[in-house]
Amino acid sequence: MRPVEQQDYFNPKRLPPYKNTWIKPEGVIPDDQKIQQAFLLYISDMGLIAAANNSIGVNFLTKNLQNASLDHAMWFHRKVDLNDWFLYSIDSPITRNARGFSRGSIFSHNGDLVASCTQEGLIRLWPETKEDN
């Protein structure tokens, strides 16, 4: 995985609500479309809530942060071939009321849109307690 935008996870700050990552598996994935689609569905869950987290300046290392996927949908538009680099482009148009909504687009190495996904996630910051200090 090669992120396009660099992020300092140890010093989170508000960032634009998007993430772009180039991805290529280390091994060979069988050409069977069911296996290719299952692999892409698994990968598509990575980073969707993170793009929504960007807009409020938190990440998976933030103390007292609770993130959870509430729903996730995916659409396949073309035959998938994940044995080459592909771009996973995510944006989050809205984050409010402890929810973040994100959209993902997966592009082949030559720029064809092969799949799309959406996710709504819970984003909750719990108050710090004495035990947290």
Side-chain angles (χ1 to χ4, degrees):
M1 293 176 44
R2 300 216 174 127
V4 174
E5 301 85 22
Q6 297 302 312
Q7 187 172 3
D8 183 353
Y9 291 105
F10 295 106
N11 297 300
K13 61 181 179 180
R14 286 180 187 237
L15 296 169
Y18 58 80
K19 295 174 74 71
N20 294 283
T21 306
W22 284 99
I23 302 171
K24 181 180 184 213
E26 283 189 19
V28 176
I29 298 174
D31 197 34
D32 182 327
Q33 281 300 287
K34 289 181 182 177
I35 294 172
Q36 293 264 339
Q37 289 177 347
F39 184 80
L40 190 57
L41 179 61
Y42 175 76
I43 288 174
S44 74
D45 197 36
M46 292 188 314
L48 284 162
I49 293 176
N53 284 342
N54 278 355
S55 67
I56 57 173
V58 298
N59 65 49
F60 67 96
L61 295 176
T62 301
K63 229 180 193 184
N64 302 323
L65 174 67
Q66 180 184 14
N67 274 156
S69 175
L70 300 175
D71 57 31
H72 185 156
M74 187 151 196
W75 299 267
F76 296 97
H77 310 301
R78 290 190 162 94
K79 183 178 177 187
V80 178
D81 179 10
L82 302 180
N83 288 306
D84 199 351
W85 286 100
F86 61 95
L87 178 67
Y88 189 17
S89 181
I90 304 168
D91 76 300
S92 178
I94 189 163
T95 300
R96 63 181 307 208
N97 298 329
R99 302 272 198 282
F101 174 72
S102 297
R103 306 174 288 206
S105 298
I106 296 104
F107 298 94
S108 67
H109 69 281
N110 64 0
D112 290 332
L113 179 65
V114 297
S116 302
C117 57
T118 60
Q119 183 177 54
E120 182 180 34
L122 173 72
I123 303 172
R124 180 176 292 149
L125 277 171
W126 292 97
E128 287 192 34
T129 63
K130 289 182 182 180
E131 292 82 32
D132 295 328
N133 296 323

